[in-house]
């Protein structure tokens, strides 16, 4: 049979394979609430403008509520023959209320309809992802508070560098996730223009009120250009970019969790709740959740690339290519939600092995920079000379198999005769971190202040 929506020009129905490639209902049924919300706003506006009779407007709105109730009760049959969510909803509306349903699509096209629905969906997704990211930030802040003064080695090149605190390390991620929240907020603000009323591409001759529908749907204003309104998907690109950067941050934290859990480090332990065993090796405890968060960044970045590639080179205005915008956006959203929740779970679950972290600060001559700084500050050496002297002292300690503060003063004086016992004041790791008081530095008091400020900024 010819299609009910456009059967006027068509004598026959589509080939089975045409229907299969064309239908999007399995994916876009997730837009049902947004579709109905958009249609109700449109119907109300049409009635207010006298384009629909009050009776038809009322019938349509009540009918749409009934359709929504059926979907939410699981009593709705989604039909592939009806292609997408928009036509599924409208067809059911016609079954429920009769011919008045046919008036809903006045001064509207599926092109502005789907752009509106997808923006509404993405706006809500931004709010939900942001709430989940805030929950992760809250978990990090809690653990940072507990460990504002817990010393550990800081690394560059994954080689021991200088002492830091575990709290300071976690706060670095709080800053990253804070910027991710900012990017999502920026995206939300730019997205918030309403495409509805752009119709197919050129606008409409009906006396519609686009400002009214925009306001009713929580948009700041209607989009300014009808062609752009139906062709714009950069809000989805921007959202997926934000999710991709967030996923990269999550994967870096996940990698550190894997490293910290490894036998060579043993900085943290994850409980039974966040680890798995091996089917053959009875002793194993593996950080699978962290490994999967690390891996799933690939899916999110892949989704961004997928949509970038779909959109590049598309002529204005709408092309059916754009129907494929939803699958990657939905998939990336689901993946990020999973990764944020799993990461917050791990952060709350982990036991921080403070004794082991302190033990680790004994290797790697972490206070060598403190020694060089002392030579500059107290003896007045140029930093480059102080660097050289310190290097020689490190070599001596390495040969003696001891830490810097365990090297006898006489040994140091062989390298630089003016060194005094006062040097021992700066060679301990606690003194080292306490001295890093410059703004943003690792001193425990700084870290506590940063935690207080972050609560204001991000929660
Ligand atoms: N399912 C379509 C989509 O998601 C709706 C828009 C269809 N518009 C059209 N002119 N065929 O993009």
């Amino acid at each position: 049979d010819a299609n009910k929506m456009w059967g006027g020009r068509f004598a026959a129905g589509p080939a089975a394979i045409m229907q299969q490639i064309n239908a999007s209902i399995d994916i876009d049924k997730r837009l049902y609430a947004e579709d109905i919300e958009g249609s109700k706003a449109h119907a109300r506006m049409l009635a207010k403008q006298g384009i629909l009779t009050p009776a038809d407007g009322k019938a349509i709105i009540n009918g749409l509520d009934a359709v929504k109730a059926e979907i939410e009760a699981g009593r709705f049959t989604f039909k592939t023959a009806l292609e997408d969510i928009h036509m599924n909803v409208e067809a059911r509306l016609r079954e429920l209320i009769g011919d008045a349903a046919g008036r809903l699509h006045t001064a509207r096209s599926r092109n502005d309809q789907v752009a509106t629905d997808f923006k509404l969906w993405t706006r809500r997704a931004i709010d939900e992802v942001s709430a989940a990211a805030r929950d992760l930030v809250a978990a990090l802040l809690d653990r940072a508070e507990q460990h504002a003064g817990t010393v550990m080695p800081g690394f560059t090149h994954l080689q021991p560098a200088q002492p830091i605190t575990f709290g300071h390390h976690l706060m670095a991620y709080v800053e990253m996730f804070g910027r991710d929240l900012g990017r999502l907020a920026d995206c939300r603000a730019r997205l918030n223009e309403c495409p509805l009323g752009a119709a197919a591409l050129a606008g409409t001759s009906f006396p519609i009120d686009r400002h009214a529908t925009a306001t009713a749907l929580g948009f700041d204003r209607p989009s300014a250009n009808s062609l752009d309104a139906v062709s714009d998907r950069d809000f989805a690109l921007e959202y997926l970019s934000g999710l991709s950067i967030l996923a990269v941050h999550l994967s870096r934290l996940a990698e550190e969790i894997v490293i910290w859990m490894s036998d060579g480090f043993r900085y943290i332990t994850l409980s039974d709740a966040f680890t798995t065993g091996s089917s053959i090796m009875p002793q194993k405890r593996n950080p699978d959740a962290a490994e999967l968060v690390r891996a799933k960044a690939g899916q999110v970045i892949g989704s961004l690339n997928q949509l970038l590639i779909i959109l590049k080179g598309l002529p204005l205005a709408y092309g059916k290519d754009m129907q494929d915008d939803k699958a990657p956006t939905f998939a990336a959203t689901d993946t990020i939600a999973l990764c944020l929740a799993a990461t917050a779970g791990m952060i709350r679950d982990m036991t921080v092995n403070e004794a082991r972290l302190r033990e680790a600060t004994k290797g790697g001559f972490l206070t060598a920079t403190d020694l060089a700084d002392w030579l500059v500050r107290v003896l007045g050496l140029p930093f480059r000379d102080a660097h050289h002297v310190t290097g020689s002292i490190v070599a001596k300690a390495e040969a003696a198999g001891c830490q810097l503060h365990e090297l006898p003063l006489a040994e140091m004086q062989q390298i630089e005769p003016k060194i005094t016992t006062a040097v021992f004041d700066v060679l301990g790791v606690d003194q080292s971190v306490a001295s890093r008081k410059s703004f943003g530095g690792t001193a425990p008091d700084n870290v506590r202040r940063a935690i207080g400020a972050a609560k204001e900024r991000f929660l």
Side-chain angles (χ1 to χ4, degrees):
D1 284 1
N3 187 292
K4 287 190 186 64
M5 298 284 173
W6 55 71
R9 192 195 202 288
F10 286 67
I17 196 66
M18 172 63 202
Q19 183 164 305
Q20 200 182 320
I21 193 172
N22 201 37
S24 56
I25 186 63
D26 287 344
I27 288 161
D28 61 29
K29 62 180 164 199
R30 279 178 77 163
L31 295 176
Y32 81 87
E34 289 77 12
D35 192 65
I36 288 171
E37 195 189 345
S39 288
K40 283 170 70 178
H42 183 65
R44 266 196 201 101
M45 180 277 293
L46 291 179
K48 187 151 171 283
Q49 296 299 105
I51 302 165
L52 280 185
T53 63
D56 282 348
K58 213 166 171 208
I60 288 170
I61 285 165
N62 292 340
L64 286 167
D65 284 336
V67 173
K68 186 173 181 193
E70 285 183 3
I71 293 174
E72 291 182 344
R75 285 188 282 110
F76 190 95
T77 314
F78 293 101
K79 296 187 185 123
T80 308
L82 291 170
E83 214 180 304
D84 58 23
I85 186 63
H86 322 293
M87 307 228 279
N88 268 271
V89 168
E90 193 183 317
R92 181 63 185 143
L93 183 67
R94 181 179 286 271
E95 286 172 7
L96 291 177
I97 71 165
D99 287 346
R103 300 188 184 278
L104 168 60
H105 215 51
T106 313
R108 184 177 79 168
S109 150
R110 270 189 300 158
N111 297 347
D112 58 333
Q113 185 180 359
V114 73
T116 304
D117 294 1
F118 193 29
K119 275 193 163 184
L120 288 171
W121 189 92
T122 304
R123 195 176 69 189
R124 187 162 54 82
I126 288 172
D127 292 343
E128 287 170 6
V129 168
S130 298
R134 260 183 224 105
D135 181 60
L136 171 58
V137 166
L140 288 164
L141 287 169
D142 273 352
R143 303 314 303 266
E145 212 150 36
Q146 286 167 2
H147 294 288
T150 302
V151 293
M152 71 179 285
F155 295 85
T156 64
H157 313 267
L158 202 54
Q159 301 290 328
Q162 294 179 357
I164 56 170
T165 73
F166 194 73
H168 194 55
H169 198 119
L170 294 183
M171 288 303 290
Y173 284 100
V174 166
E175 291 298 323
M176 294 177 232
F177 295 129
R179 287 191 297 276
D180 292 328
L181 283 166
R183 269 182 282 273
L184 289 173
D186 290 349
C187 170
R188 191 190 197 286
R190 222 179 333 273
L191 162 156
N192 214 26
E193 294 183 337
C194 186
L196 195 59
L201 75 165
T204 176
S205 57
F206 289 98
I208 60 170
D209 182 352
R210 290 194 61 205
H211 290 85
T213 43
T215 303
L217 294 170
F219 288 102
D220 297 326
R221 63 193 80 88
S223 16
N225 178 292
S226 63
L227 282 180
D228 175 53
V230 294
S231 310
D232 165 25
R233 295 293 182 276
D234 48 328
F235 67 88
L237 289 179
E238 199 172 343
Y239 170 61
L240 290 172
S241 307
L243 293 194
S244 295
I245 299 172
L246 170 55
V248 167
H249 290 154
L250 286 167
S251 79
R252 294 183 76 168
L253 177 53
E255 168 66 357
E256 298 218 272
I257 289 173
V258 170
I259 291 173
W260 292 341
M261 266 283 283
S262 70
D263 192 55
F265 280 75
R266 287 177 283 118
Y267 287 3
I268 62 166
T269 315
L270 290 172
S271 79
D272 293 0
F274 278 92
T275 49
T276 57
S278 155
S279 59
I280 174 170
M281 297 168 283
Q283 85 285 11
K284 289 284 260 180
R285 181 185 286 287
N286 298 322
D288 295 39
E291 293 168 83
L292 287 163
V293 169
R294 189 172 61 184
K296 286 181 193 300
Q299 192 275 322
V300 178
I301 296 164
S303 292
L304 168 61
N305 278 305
Q306 188 180 338
L307 188 55
L308 283 167
I309 295 163
I310 287 170
L311 293 174
K312 82 162 280 299
L314 266 194
L316 301 185
Y318 179 84
K320 197 67 175 249
D321 314 52
M322 293 164 84
Q323 175 166 280
D324 275 358
D325 54 4
K326 285 162 221 78
T329 308
F330 293 168
T333 302
D334 294 343
T335 300
I336 273 290
L338 186 61
C339 290
L340 282 168
T343 304
M346 285 188 283
I347 293 299
R348 292 195 168 100
D349 177 85
M350 71 182 173
T351 303
V352 179
N353 305 329
E354 290 183 44
R356 172 65 201 138
L357 284 168
R358 178 167 289 278
E359 185 66 25
T361 63
K362 293 181 178 163
F365 309 104
L366 298 175
T367 55
T369 311
D370 300 79
L371 172 54
D373 288 349
W374 185 89
L375 295 170
V376 170
R377 204 171 50 245
V378 179
L379 301 187
L381 267 57
F383 184 77
R384 283 291 153 225
D385 297 350
H387 186 286
H388 191 83
V389 166
T390 304
S392 304
I393 292 174
V394 167
K396 257 186 182 300
E398 193 165 36
C402 68
Q403 300 174 55
L404 280 179
H405 72 269
E406 292 167 344
L407 197 67
L409 180 63
E411 297 272 328
M412 295 193 210
Q413 286 171 336
Q414 280 176 14
I415 311 268
E416 172 49 67
K418 294 200 290 290
I419 295 178
T420 67
T421 51
V423 77
F424 291 103
D425 292 345
V426 301
L427 297 182
V429 293
D430 295 288
Q431 293 105 305
S432 174
V433 295
S435 74
R436 297 296 198 268
K437 290 196 187 91
S438 55
F439 184 83
T442 193
D445 286 344
N446 274 12
V447 174
R448 287 186 193 101
R449 263 196 301 279
I451 293 166
K455 284 181 182 164
E456 298 295 313
R457 292 159 65 208
F458 306 133
L459 295 188

